[in-house]
Amino acid sequence: MLELNGEWLFKVDPEDVGLSQLWYSANFDRTDWVSVEVPGFWERYSNFSKHDGIAWYYKSFEMPKIDKRKKYAIFFGGVDDDCGVWLNGEFVGEHRGYSDEFYFDVTKFLKPGENELVVMVIDHGGPGGIYKPVAIVEYSEISDLLKGEFYYKKARKSEEWVKDAVIYEVFPRAFSEKGTFKEVEREIPRLKELGINVIWLMPIHPIGEVKRKGTLGSPYSVKDYFKINPEYGTEEDLKSLVRTAHENGIKVIIDLVINHTAWDNDLIREHPEWYVKNNKGEIISPNSDWVDVADLNYDVQELRRYMIEVMRYWVREFDIDGYRCDVAELVPTDFWNEARKELDKIKPVMMLAEGSLPEQHLEAFDLTYSWNVYDALARIIRKGHLPSVLDNVLEGEKYKFPRGSLRLRFNENHDKPRAVKFFGEDGALVSALIVNTIPGVPLIYNGQEYGDTTNLSLFEKQVMSRDNSERGRKFYSFYKKLFNFRKKSLALRRGEMIKVKTSNDDKVYAFWRKYKDETVLVVANFSTWGVTTKLQVDEILRKKVKNGKVKFYDVFEEKTEEVKLEEFVNFKLEPFGFKLILIF
């Protein structure tokens, strides 16, 4: 391993001219760049403490020798937020997201003697820079470098129903014209038929009026933790909804927003010492955008006890089945650990963190958000990046998180654009296929099953569209077949994921999910044009061949066929086309 820490050259690019001016080129004139130390955030460099945006790093290093029998990679412990990498003037790759270790193969770019490494970093706010070590490594060492401190630990054991979940996120205000619990309850049989077995209700509490955003305000500005938003109904309405859901085999979790409160929450008047304050002693918002809420201070033990009682109350009195915990990373993990122990005394629950911290899986949470998979799909579908981007993300997860960690998979939620608008109609379907078939627990949002394009505001009254045209029926049929197949498939819910090589790996992503004797094949074309691809006949497929033939069930076409092996391995896929197949 050749460590590249230490002195680098550095230059900020506030006008975003570096790419057009070829700052990454070999032998580029960098006499006006300044010397800095890596790793570290650039905020600690003089004159750059307030810089957000683009900055460039340069490092010249000597490679003593290169063994042509080996492969080499450049390894980054972490870059905040995104980056592009060039070696000797050649583009190596790009990465998005500040929380992951990552690497690029540089075997063909690396040369004996002097090499020039350039990294363009894009910081979206807060700390920025190459904040963890950088090194040139042999491929055999990559796995050791990627193994974080939690790799050797086990995630908490989750209930079987948690592992089997297909979660439907409900924004009650936008779910129907009336926007009530009764309207949600009325559709429980439909959701069951669709294949949903967990409903997540976005915040159900009264909404603050002081400093309110928009006409109706955000449900994430909570005025009273022990009451229900009267627009949604009564306590009995919620209890009835939960009972009906349980009778239909569906669990109900609710949003828990305890990092901050509304400005007119009684806690501000009764317990101002529970809030974060500035140097003038004034209660403040968590950040400059969330002006409608006030930040809570979890250094205060009385606040912790109060919030644990809030969590116990809704489970005990309303029989809910757990919580989706808003901005869980902003609340101390040790608080969540303590709260989970108290909830476990009442009943088994699901705890979903809107966060991505590996340590959250050890005691408190069953699930964390996999923003990284969403970002990978965005790069592949919207920008034409190689499907292997997804492999890199999933491999990083394996090394970073405790064994057995469950990740929430999604291509849409209330914080992201509608999938159909963001990915396009075909891209929305293929991305939904992936998030429902890779390891993890899938999520679907209000109206997504109809291919809805309505951007549902948190602050105004908008209602999701139930498109009953041929287009809407196509989306609905897709999700119904997908969810109900998943419900029957232990391979998709428990099985290992094994990549399959194809003749078009630059466009086609294929993998097996395997559990005991059940084998499921997923094949997806991530390109904007049709392809004919051939699967590599590996040992898994070879074992399924009988008398030179393969018997399989096509989930979306709902038909069983038996064909010769050479016919089966050849797939013709439309742009963003896909196959989900059960092999007998």
Side-chain angles (χ1 to χ4, degrees), residues 165-171 174-175 184 187 190-191 194-202 250-253 408 418 441-450 452 464-466 476 483:
V166 176
I167 305 174
Y168 189 102
E169 179 185 2
V170 176
F171 184 4
F175 190 72
V184 178
E187 293 216 32
R190 177 184 74 81
L191 295 176
L194 183 63
I196 302 301
N197 50 26
V198 175
I199 292 173
W200 150 25
L201 297 174
M202 286 170 61
I250 295 175
K251 305 288 186 180
V252 179
I253 66 173
L408 183 74
R418 284 298 200 179
V441 171
L443 171 77
I444 183 173
Y445 180 47
N446 261 18
Q448 187 177 345
E449 69 271 33
Y450 296 101
D452 192 8
M464 76 181 207
S465 171
R466 289 170 168 81
Y476 198 90
F483 293 157

mmCIF file of all heavy atoms in Angstrom, residues 165-171 174-175 184 187 190-191 194-202 250-253 408 418 441-450 452 464-466 476 483:
data_model
loop_
_atom_site.group_PDB
_atom_site.id
_atom_site.type_symbol
_atom_site.label_atom_id
_atom_site.label_comp_id
_atom_site.label_asym_id
_atom_site.label_seq_id
_atom_site.Cartn_x
_atom_site.Cartn_y
_atom_site.Cartn_z
ATOM 1 N N ALA A 165 -41.264 -6.927 5.472
ATOM 2 C CA ALA A 165 -42.097 -5.745 5.250
ATOM 3 C C ALA A 165 -42.023 -5.209 3.820
ATOM 4 O O ALA A 165 -40.963 -5.203 3.195
ATOM 5 C CB ALA A 165 -41.699 -4.645 6.229
ATOM 6 N N VAL A 166 -43.178 -4.772 3.330
ATOM 7 C CA VAL A 166 -43.290 -3.855 2.192
ATOM 8 C C VAL A 166 -44.033 -2.650 2.757
ATOM 9 O O VAL A 166 -45.207 -2.754 3.126
ATOM 10 C CB VAL A 166 -44.066 -4.470 1.017
ATOM 11 C CG1 VAL A 166 -44.244 -3.434 -0.099
ATOM 12 C CG2 VAL A 166 -43.345 -5.701 0.482
ATOM 13 N N ILE A 167 -43.346 -1.511 2.858
ATOM 14 C CA ILE A 167 -43.867 -0.363 3.595
ATOM 15 C C ILE A 167 -44.525 0.643 2.659
ATOM 16 O O ILE A 167 -43.941 1.014 1.635
ATOM 17 C CB ILE A 167 -42.752 0.333 4.388
ATOM 18 C CG1 ILE A 167 -42.037 -0.670 5.318
ATOM 19 C CG2 ILE A 167 -43.299 1.511 5.196
ATOM 20 C CD1 ILE A 167 -40.833 -0.093 6.024
ATOM 21 N N TYR A 168 -45.725 1.076 3.038
ATOM 22 C CA TYR A 168 -46.440 2.106 2.278
ATOM 23 C C TYR A 168 -46.473 3.372 3.120
ATOM 24 O O TYR A 168 -47.050 3.395 4.210
ATOM 25 C CB TYR A 168 -47.857 1.644 1.954
ATOM 26 C CG TYR A 168 -48.610 2.539 0.985
ATOM 27 C CD1 TYR A 168 -48.747 2.178 -0.352
ATOM 28 C CD2 TYR A 168 -49.188 3.739 1.406
ATOM 29 C CE1 TYR A 168 -49.459 2.986 -1.239
ATOM 30 C CE2 TYR A 168 -49.881 4.556 0.523
ATOM 31 C CZ TYR A 168 -50.012 4.172 -0.796
ATOM 32 O OH TYR A 168 -50.701 4.981 -1.671
ATOM 33 N N GLU A 169 -45.851 4.438 2.633
ATOM 34 C CA GLU A 169 -45.818 5.711 3.341
ATOM 35 C C GLU A 169 -47.084 6.509 3.023
ATOM 36 O O GLU A 169 -47.353 6.837 1.866
ATOM 37 C CB GLU A 169 -44.584 6.517 2.946
ATOM 38 C CG GLU A 169 -44.505 7.865 3.631
ATOM 39 C CD GLU A 169 -43.336 8.722 3.162
ATOM 40 O OE1 GLU A 169 -42.582 8.294 2.270
ATOM 41 O OE2 GLU A 169 -43.202 9.856 3.681
ATOM 42 N N VAL A 170 -47.842 6.838 4.064
ATOM 43 C CA VAL A 170 -49.109 7.558 3.908
ATOM 44 C C VAL A 170 -48.975 8.973 4.467
ATOM 45 O O VAL A 170 -48.638 9.165 5.633
ATOM 46 C CB VAL A 170 -50.258 6.839 4.647
ATOM 47 C CG1 VAL A 170 -51.539 7.661 4.555
ATOM 48 C CG2 VAL A 170 -50.482 5.450 4.074
ATOM 49 N N PHE A 171 -49.250 9.956 3.620
ATOM 50 C CA PHE A 171 -49.403 11.343 4.066
ATOM 51 C C PHE A 171 -50.911 11.559 4.153
ATOM 52 O O PHE A 171 -51.557 11.795 3.132
ATOM 53 C CB PHE A 171 -48.754 12.276 3.047
ATOM 54 C CG PHE A 171 -48.741 13.736 3.420
ATOM 55 C CD1 PHE A 171 -49.212 14.183 4.651
ATOM 56 C CD2 PHE A 171 -48.236 14.679 2.533
ATOM 57 C CE1 PHE A 171 -49.186 15.521 4.987
ATOM 58 C CE2 PHE A 171 -48.198 16.020 2.862
ATOM 59 C CZ PHE A 171 -48.673 16.446 4.086
ATOM 60 N N ALA A 174 -52.776 14.176 2.127
ATOM 61 C CA ALA A 174 -52.724 14.051 0.668
ATOM 62 C C ALA A 174 -53.284 12.731 0.151
ATOM 63 O O ALA A 174 -53.405 12.542 -1.058
ATOM 64 C CB ALA A 174 -51.271 14.201 0.201
ATOM 65 N N PHE A 175 -53.652 11.835 1.061
ATOM 66 C CA PHE A 175 -54.098 10.506 0.650
ATOM 67 C C PHE A 175 -55.492 10.530 0.034
ATOM 68 O O PHE A 175 -55.847 9.670 -0.768
ATOM 69 C CB PHE A 175 -54.056 9.565 1.855
ATOM 70 C CG PHE A 175 -54.263 8.122 1.522
ATOM 71 C CD1 PHE A 175 -53.277 7.396 0.865
ATOM 72 C CD2 PHE A 175 -55.446 7.477 1.868
ATOM 73 C CE1 PHE A 175 -53.463 6.056 0.569
ATOM 74 C CE2 PHE A 175 -55.642 6.136 1.565
ATOM 75 C CZ PHE A 175 -54.642 5.430 0.918
ATOM 76 N N VAL A 184 -58.116 6.517 5.092
ATOM 77 C CA VAL A 184 -57.021 5.547 5.026
ATOM 78 C C VAL A 184 -57.547 4.162 5.398
ATOM 79 O O VAL A 184 -57.254 3.172 4.709
ATOM 80 C CB VAL A 184 -55.867 5.952 5.972
ATOM 81 C CG1 VAL A 184 -54.754 4.899 5.929
ATOM 82 C CG2 VAL A 184 -55.320 7.325 5.609
ATOM 83 N N GLU A 187 -59.272 2.152 2.764
ATOM 84 C CA GLU A 187 -58.457 1.564 1.687
ATOM 85 C C GLU A 187 -57.532 0.451 2.164
ATOM 86 O O GLU A 187 -56.703 -0.042 1.402
ATOM 87 C CB GLU A 187 -57.636 2.658 1.000
ATOM 88 C CG GLU A 187 -58.489 3.640 0.233
ATOM 89 C CD GLU A 187 -57.831 4.117 -1.044
ATOM 90 O OE1 GLU A 187 -57.078 3.336 -1.664
ATOM 91 O OE2 GLU A 187 -58.059 5.265 -1.422
ATOM 92 N N ARG A 190 -57.641 -2.621 -0.070
ATOM 93 C CA ARG A 190 -56.920 -2.425 -1.346
ATOM 94 C C ARG A 190 -55.420 -2.540 -1.136
ATOM 95 O O ARG A 190 -54.715 -3.168 -1.937
ATOM 96 C CB ARG A 190 -57.263 -1.057 -1.940
ATOM 97 C CG ARG A 190 -56.487 -0.769 -3.233
ATOM 98 C CD ARG A 190 -56.757 0.612 -3.776
ATOM 99 N NE ARG A 190 -56.118 1.675 -3.015
ATOM 100 C CZ ARG A 190 -54.838 2.032 -3.157
ATOM 101 N NH1 ARG A 190 -54.048 1.398 -4.000
ATOM 102 N NH2 ARG A 190 -54.361 3.036 -2.439
ATOM 103 N N LEU A 191 -54.915 -1.932 -0.082
ATOM 104 C CA LEU A 191 -53.480 -1.983 0.182
ATOM 105 C C LEU A 191 -53.034 -3.411 0.466
ATOM 106 O O LEU A 191 -51.941 -3.829 0.051
ATOM 107 C CB LEU A 191 -53.118 -1.054 1.338
ATOM 108 C CG LEU A 191 -53.333 0.440 1.070
ATOM 109 C CD1 LEU A 191 -53.028 1.258 2.319
ATOM 110 C CD2 LEU A 191 -52.476 0.919 -0.098
ATOM 111 N N LEU A 194 -52.784 -5.106 -2.778
ATOM 112 C CA LEU A 194 -51.600 -4.623 -3.486
ATOM 113 C C LEU A 194 -50.337 -5.348 -3.030
ATOM 114 O O LEU A 194 -49.376 -5.472 -3.790
ATOM 115 C CB LEU A 194 -51.450 -3.113 -3.266
ATOM 116 C CG LEU A 194 -50.322 -2.390 -3.975
ATOM 117 C CD1 LEU A 194 -50.478 -2.455 -5.493
ATOM 118 C CD2 LEU A 194 -50.258 -0.929 -3.515
ATOM 119 N N GLY A 195 -50.349 -5.838 -1.788
ATOM 120 C CA GLY A 195 -49.191 -6.545 -1.256
ATOM 121 C C GLY A 195 -48.489 -5.816 -0.134
ATOM 122 O O GLY A 195 -47.392 -6.196 0.284
ATOM 123 N N ILE A 196 -49.130 -4.760 0.387
ATOM 124 C CA ILE A 196 -48.565 -3.972 1.484
ATOM 125 C C ILE A 196 -48.803 -4.693 2.811
ATOM 126 O O ILE A 196 -49.889 -5.211 3.055
ATOM 127 C CB ILE A 196 -49.217 -2.570 1.543
ATOM 128 C CG1 ILE A 196 -49.018 -1.824 0.221
ATOM 129 C CG2 ILE A 196 -48.672 -1.775 2.723
ATOM 130 C CD1 ILE A 196 -47.582 -1.624 -0.187
ATOM 131 N N ASN A 197 -47.787 -4.707 3.679
ATOM 132 C CA ASN A 197 -47.990 -5.293 5.007
ATOM 133 C C ASN A 197 -47.525 -4.387 6.154
ATOM 134 O O ASN A 197 -47.617 -4.770 7.316
ATOM 135 C CB ASN A 197 -47.335 -6.677 5.119
ATOM 136 C CG ASN A 197 -45.900 -6.690 4.659
ATOM 137 O OD1 ASN A 197 -45.216 -5.666 4.701
ATOM 138 N ND2 ASN A 197 -45.430 -7.837 4.198
ATOM 139 N N VAL A 198 -47.023 -3.187 5.832
ATOM 140 C CA VAL A 198 -46.722 -2.182 6.848
ATOM 141 C C VAL A 198 -47.135 -0.811 6.311
ATOM 142 O O VAL A 198 -46.775 -0.464 5.182
ATOM 143 C CB VAL A 198 -45.225 -2.145 7.234
ATOM 144 C CG1 VAL A 198 -44.955 -0.997 8.219
ATOM 145 C CG2 VAL A 198 -44.778 -3.463 7.846
ATOM 146 N N ILE A 199 -47.887 -0.061 7.108
ATOM 147 C CA ILE A 199 -48.241 1.322 6.761
ATOM 148 C C ILE A 199 -47.473 2.259 7.682
ATOM 149 O O ILE A 199 -47.469 2.081 8.907
ATOM 150 C CB ILE A 199 -49.754 1.569 6.914
ATOM 151 C CG1 ILE A 199 -50.546 0.789 5.868
ATOM 152 C CG2 ILE A 199 -50.073 3.057 6.792
ATOM 153 C CD1 ILE A 199 -52.046 0.855 6.072
ATOM 154 N N TRP A 200 -46.808 3.232 7.091
ATOM 155 C CA TRP A 200 -46.159 4.297 7.871
ATOM 156 C C TRP A 200 -46.997 5.562 7.700
ATOM 157 O O TRP A 200 -47.133 6.073 6.598
ATOM 158 C CB TRP A 200 -44.715 4.476 7.395
ATOM 159 C CG TRP A 200 -44.125 5.861 7.532
ATOM 160 C CD1 TRP A 200 -44.479 6.846 8.411
ATOM 161 C CD2 TRP A 200 -43.068 6.414 6.742
ATOM 162 N NE1 TRP A 200 -43.702 7.972 8.215
ATOM 163 C CE2 TRP A 200 -42.834 7.732 7.200
ATOM 164 C CE3 TRP A 200 -42.288 5.922 5.698
ATOM 165 C CZ2 TRP A 200 -41.859 8.570 6.643
ATOM 166 C CZ3 TRP A 200 -41.314 6.743 5.143
ATOM 167 C CH2 TRP A 200 -41.119 8.047 5.622
ATOM 168 N N LEU A 201 -47.564 6.039 8.812
ATOM 169 C CA LEU A 201 -48.306 7.290 8.809
ATOM 170 C C LEU A 201 -47.344 8.442 9.088
ATOM 171 O O LEU A 201 -46.691 8.476 10.140
ATOM 172 C CB LEU A 201 -49.394 7.272 9.885
ATOM 173 C CG LEU A 201 -50.512 6.227 9.750
ATOM 174 C CD1 LEU A 201 -51.408 6.264 10.983
ATOM 175 C CD2 LEU A 201 -51.331 6.465 8.490
ATOM 176 N N MET A 202 -47.252 9.380 8.174
ATOM 177 C CA MET A 202 -46.476 10.584 8.437
ATOM 178 C C MET A 202 -47.081 11.311 9.650
ATOM 179 O O MET A 202 -48.180 10.974 10.078
ATOM 180 C CB MET A 202 -46.441 11.454 7.187
ATOM 181 C CG MET A 202 -45.529 10.894 6.091
ATOM 182 S SD MET A 202 -45.671 11.736 4.494
ATOM 183 C CE MET A 202 -45.173 13.408 4.908
ATOM 184 N N ILE A 250 -51.760 -6.207 8.496
ATOM 185 C CA ILE A 250 -50.922 -5.042 8.209
ATOM 186 C C ILE A 250 -50.527 -4.359 9.518
ATOM 187 O O ILE A 250 -51.375 -4.104 10.369
ATOM 188 C CB ILE A 250 -51.661 -4.042 7.295
ATOM 189 C CG1 ILE A 250 -51.908 -4.669 5.913
ATOM 190 C CG2 ILE A 250 -50.874 -2.744 7.145
ATOM 191 C CD1 ILE A 250 -52.738 -3.804 4.971
ATOM 192 N N LYS A 251 -49.243 -4.076 9.673
ATOM 193 C CA LYS A 251 -48.745 -3.337 10.833
ATOM 194 C C LYS A 251 -48.821 -1.839 10.541
ATOM 195 O O LYS A 251 -48.819 -1.416 9.379
ATOM 196 C CB LYS A 251 -47.298 -3.735 11.140
ATOM 197 C CG LYS A 251 -47.075 -5.226 11.346
ATOM 198 C CD LYS A 251 -47.647 -5.714 12.647
ATOM 199 C CE LYS A 251 -47.277 -7.172 12.890
ATOM 200 N NZ LYS A 251 -47.815 -7.684 14.167
ATOM 201 N N VAL A 252 -48.838 -1.037 11.617
ATOM 202 C CA VAL A 252 -48.904 0.426 11.476
ATOM 203 C C VAL A 252 -47.792 1.052 12.313
ATOM 204 O O VAL A 252 -47.694 0.804 13.520
ATOM 205 C CB VAL A 252 -50.263 0.977 11.942
ATOM 206 C CG1 VAL A 252 -50.290 2.500 11.811
ATOM 207 C CG2 VAL A 252 -51.404 0.346 11.145
ATOM 208 N N ILE A 253 -46.952 1.855 11.666
ATOM 209 C CA ILE A 253 -45.967 2.651 12.390
ATOM 210 C C ILE A 253 -46.270 4.129 12.145
ATOM 211 O O ILE A 253 -46.913 4.474 11.147
ATOM 212 C CB ILE A 253 -44.513 2.317 11.977
ATOM 213 C CG1 ILE A 253 -44.239 2.719 10.519
ATOM 214 C CG2 ILE A 253 -44.212 0.841 12.190
ATOM 215 C CD1 ILE A 253 -42.772 2.569 10.096
ATOM 216 N N LEU A 408 -33.434 0.313 4.277
ATOM 217 C CA LEU A 408 -34.670 0.707 3.605
ATOM 218 C C LEU A 408 -34.339 1.101 2.170
ATOM 219 O O LEU A 408 -33.517 1.987 1.931
ATOM 220 C CB LEU A 408 -35.324 1.880 4.324
ATOM 221 C CG LEU A 408 -36.664 2.331 3.751
ATOM 222 C CD1 LEU A 408 -37.757 1.329 4.103
ATOM 223 C CD2 LEU A 408 -37.040 3.724 4.252
ATOM 224 N N ARG A 418 -41.013 12.807 -7.293
ATOM 225 C CA ARG A 418 -41.760 11.667 -7.791
ATOM 226 C C ARG A 418 -40.863 10.865 -8.738
ATOM 227 O O ARG A 418 -40.195 11.421 -9.616
ATOM 228 C CB ARG A 418 -43.003 12.130 -8.539
ATOM 229 C CG ARG A 418 -44.130 12.596 -7.625
ATOM 230 C CD ARG A 418 -44.611 11.480 -6.723
ATOM 231 N NE ARG A 418 -45.942 11.721 -6.190
ATOM 232 C CZ ARG A 418 -46.577 10.878 -5.398
ATOM 233 N NH1 ARG A 418 -45.997 9.755 -5.029
ATOM 234 N NH2 ARG A 418 -47.780 11.159 -4.954
ATOM 235 N N VAL A 441 -35.460 -3.822 2.671
ATOM 236 C CA VAL A 441 -36.915 -3.678 2.838
ATOM 237 C C VAL A 441 -37.386 -2.524 1.968
ATOM 238 O O VAL A 441 -36.879 -1.409 2.094
ATOM 239 C CB VAL A 441 -37.269 -3.419 4.312
ATOM 240 C CG1 VAL A 441 -38.737 -3.045 4.462
ATOM 241 C CG2 VAL A 441 -36.939 -4.645 5.168
ATOM 242 N N PRO A 442 -38.346 -2.759 1.060
ATOM 243 C CA PRO A 442 -38.767 -1.709 0.125
ATOM 244 C C PRO A 442 -39.844 -0.784 0.685
ATOM 245 O O PRO A 442 -40.639 -1.157 1.547
ATOM 246 C CB PRO A 442 -39.324 -2.508 -1.055
ATOM 247 C CG PRO A 442 -39.845 -3.766 -0.433
ATOM 248 C CD PRO A 442 -38.936 -4.070 0.726
ATOM 249 N N LEU A 443 -39.842 0.439 0.134
ATOM 250 C CA LEU A 443 -40.807 1.472 0.501
ATOM 251 C C LEU A 443 -41.494 1.996 -0.754
ATOM 252 O O LEU A 443 -40.861 2.127 -1.806
ATOM 253 C CB LEU A 443 -40.079 2.629 1.191
ATOM 254 C CG LEU A 443 -40.895 3.906 1.454
ATOM 255 C CD1 LEU A 443 -41.816 3.698 2.651
ATOM 256 C CD2 LEU A 443 -39.971 5.100 1.704
ATOM 257 N N ILE A 444 -42.797 2.308 -0.613
ATOM 258 C CA ILE A 444 -43.541 2.968 -1.688
ATOM 259 C C ILE A 444 -44.303 4.139 -1.067
ATOM 260 O O ILE A 444 -44.734 4.067 0.094
ATOM 261 C CB ILE A 444 -44.495 1.973 -2.399
ATOM 262 C CG1 ILE A 444 -45.219 2.637 -3.583
ATOM 263 C CG2 ILE A 444 -45.464 1.357 -1.423
ATOM 264 C CD1 ILE A 444 -46.039 1.661 -4.416
ATOM 265 N N TYR A 445 -44.447 5.220 -1.809
ATOM 266 C CA TYR A 445 -45.042 6.444 -1.272
ATOM 267 C C TYR A 445 -46.410 6.704 -1.891
ATOM 268 O O TYR A 445 -46.669 6.314 -3.036
ATOM 269 C CB TYR A 445 -44.087 7.617 -1.551
ATOM 270 C CG TYR A 445 -44.550 8.977 -1.061
ATOM 271 C CD1 TYR A 445 -45.059 9.140 0.215
ATOM 272 C CD2 TYR A 445 -44.456 10.094 -1.886
ATOM 273 C CE1 TYR A 445 -45.469 10.387 0.671
ATOM 274 C CE2 TYR A 445 -44.847 11.351 -1.438
ATOM 275 C CZ TYR A 445 -45.363 11.489 -0.155
ATOM 276 O OH TYR A 445 -45.765 12.720 0.286
ATOM 277 N N ASN A 446 -47.286 7.392 -1.115
ATOM 278 C CA ASN A 446 -48.600 7.865 -1.565
ATOM 279 C C ASN A 446 -48.761 7.983 -3.079
ATOM 280 O O ASN A 446 -48.205 8.897 -3.687
ATOM 281 C CB ASN A 446 -48.803 9.286 -1.039
ATOM 282 C CG ASN A 446 -49.648 9.365 0.215
ATOM 283 O OD1 ASN A 446 -49.828 8.383 0.908
ATOM 284 N ND2 ASN A 446 -50.151 10.541 0.508
ATOM 285 N N GLY A 447 -49.515 7.105 -3.704
ATOM 286 C CA GLY A 447 -49.833 7.262 -5.120
ATOM 287 C C GLY A 447 -48.790 6.736 -6.077
ATOM 288 O O GLY A 447 -49.012 6.722 -7.294
ATOM 289 N N GLN A 448 -47.658 6.290 -5.568
ATOM 290 C CA GLN A 448 -46.607 5.779 -6.452
ATOM 291 C C GLN A 448 -47.092 4.567 -7.233
ATOM 292 O O GLN A 448 -46.674 4.334 -8.368
ATOM 293 C CB GLN A 448 -45.370 5.411 -5.624
ATOM 294 C CG GLN A 448 -44.161 5.022 -6.459
ATOM 295 C CD GLN A 448 -42.924 4.743 -5.610
ATOM 296 O OE1 GLN A 448 -42.882 5.104 -4.432
ATOM 297 N NE2 GLN A 448 -41.932 4.102 -6.192
ATOM 298 N N GLU A 449 -48.018 3.809 -6.623
ATOM 299 C CA GLU A 449 -48.524 2.611 -7.287
ATOM 300 C C GLU A 449 -49.327 2.937 -8.542
ATOM 301 O O GLU A 449 -49.584 2.054 -9.368
ATOM 302 C CB GLU A 449 -49.374 1.773 -6.317
ATOM 303 C CG GLU A 449 -50.701 2.391 -5.920
ATOM 304 C CD GLU A 449 -50.617 3.289 -4.697
ATOM 305 O OE1 GLU A 449 -49.573 3.952 -4.503
ATOM 306 O OE2 GLU A 449 -51.614 3.363 -3.945
ATOM 307 N N TYR A 450 -49.735 4.194 -8.695
ATOM 308 C CA TYR A 450 -50.456 4.627 -9.897
ATOM 309 C C TYR A 450 -49.542 5.382 -10.870
ATOM 310 O O TYR A 450 -50.009 5.906 -11.884
ATOM 311 C CB TYR A 450 -51.621 5.542 -9.516
ATOM 312 C CG TYR A 450 -52.695 4.881 -8.687
ATOM 313 C CD1 TYR A 450 -52.748 5.074 -7.314
ATOM 314 C CD2 TYR A 450 -53.672 4.076 -9.280
ATOM 315 C CE1 TYR A 450 -53.741 4.480 -6.533
ATOM 316 C CE2 TYR A 450 -54.665 3.482 -8.511
ATOM 317 C CZ TYR A 450 -54.693 3.684 -7.145
ATOM 318 O OH TYR A 450 -55.679 3.092 -6.387
ATOM 319 N N ASP A 452 -48.053 8.193 -9.992
ATOM 320 C CA ASP A 452 -48.449 9.578 -9.748
ATOM 321 C C ASP A 452 -47.283 10.538 -9.954
ATOM 322 O O ASP A 452 -46.147 10.256 -9.565
ATOM 323 C CB ASP A 452 -48.977 9.705 -8.322
ATOM 324 C CG ASP A 452 -49.684 11.030 -8.066
ATOM 325 O OD1 ASP A 452 -49.889 11.782 -9.031
ATOM 326 O OD2 ASP A 452 -50.039 11.287 -6.904
ATOM 327 N N MET A 464 -53.095 13.074 -3.821
ATOM 328 C CA MET A 464 -52.466 12.164 -4.779
ATOM 329 C C MET A 464 -53.464 11.760 -5.857
ATOM 330 O O MET A 464 -54.680 11.703 -5.625
ATOM 331 C CB MET A 464 -51.931 10.926 -4.067
ATOM 332 C CG MET A 464 -52.975 9.912 -3.660
ATOM 333 S SD MET A 464 -52.255 8.488 -2.804
ATOM 334 C CE MET A 464 -53.476 7.221 -3.191
ATOM 335 N N SER A 465 -52.949 11.482 -7.037
ATOM 336 C CA SER A 465 -53.791 11.121 -8.172
ATOM 337 C C SER A 465 -53.903 9.605 -8.294
ATOM 338 O O SER A 465 -52.893 8.894 -8.213
ATOM 339 C CB SER A 465 -53.193 11.693 -9.462
ATOM 340 O OG SER A 465 -53.867 11.204 -10.595
ATOM 341 N N ARG A 466 -55.125 9.133 -8.446
ATOM 342 C CA ARG A 466 -55.353 7.709 -8.715
ATOM 343 C C ARG A 466 -55.690 7.561 -10.190
ATOM 344 O O ARG A 466 -56.847 7.653 -10.591
ATOM 345 C CB ARG A 466 -56.487 7.176 -7.839
ATOM 346 C CG ARG A 466 -56.121 7.068 -6.363
ATOM 347 C CD ARG A 466 -57.345 6.769 -5.525
ATOM 348 N NE ARG A 466 -57.020 6.393 -4.162
ATOM 349 C CZ ARG A 466 -56.724 7.256 -3.188
ATOM 350 N NH1 ARG A 466 -56.723 8.552 -3.457
ATOM 351 N NH2 ARG A 466 -56.437 6.843 -1.980
ATOM 352 N N TYR A 476 -49.988 0.076 -11.625
ATOM 353 C CA TYR A 476 -50.613 -0.649 -10.516
ATOM 354 C C TYR A 476 -50.381 -2.152 -10.655
ATOM 355 O O TYR A 476 -50.051 -2.843 -9.678
ATOM 356 C CB TYR A 476 -52.106 -0.345 -10.460
ATOM 357 C CG TYR A 476 -52.735 -0.675 -9.136
ATOM 358 C CD1 TYR A 476 -52.796 0.276 -8.131
ATOM 359 C CD2 TYR A 476 -53.247 -1.937 -8.879
ATOM 360 C CE1 TYR A 476 -53.357 -0.014 -6.889
ATOM 361 C CE2 TYR A 476 -53.810 -2.245 -7.657
ATOM 362 C CZ TYR A 476 -53.856 -1.283 -6.669
ATOM 363 O OH TYR A 476 -54.406 -1.587 -5.446
ATOM 364 N N PHE A 483 -44.981 -6.926 -5.568
ATOM 365 C CA PHE A 483 -45.130 -7.055 -4.117
ATOM 366 C C PHE A 483 -45.643 -8.436 -3.720
ATOM 367 O O PHE A 483 -45.190 -9.019 -2.728
ATOM 368 C CB PHE A 483 -46.073 -5.989 -3.572
ATOM 369 C CG PHE A 483 -45.553 -4.583 -3.662
ATOM 370 C CD1 PHE A 483 -46.432 -3.507 -3.653
ATOM 371 C CD2 PHE A 483 -44.194 -4.323 -3.762
ATOM 372 C CE1 PHE A 483 -45.954 -2.202 -3.722
ATOM 373 C CE2 PHE A 483 -43.711 -3.031 -3.835
ATOM 374 C CZ PHE A 483 -44.600 -1.964 -3.824
#
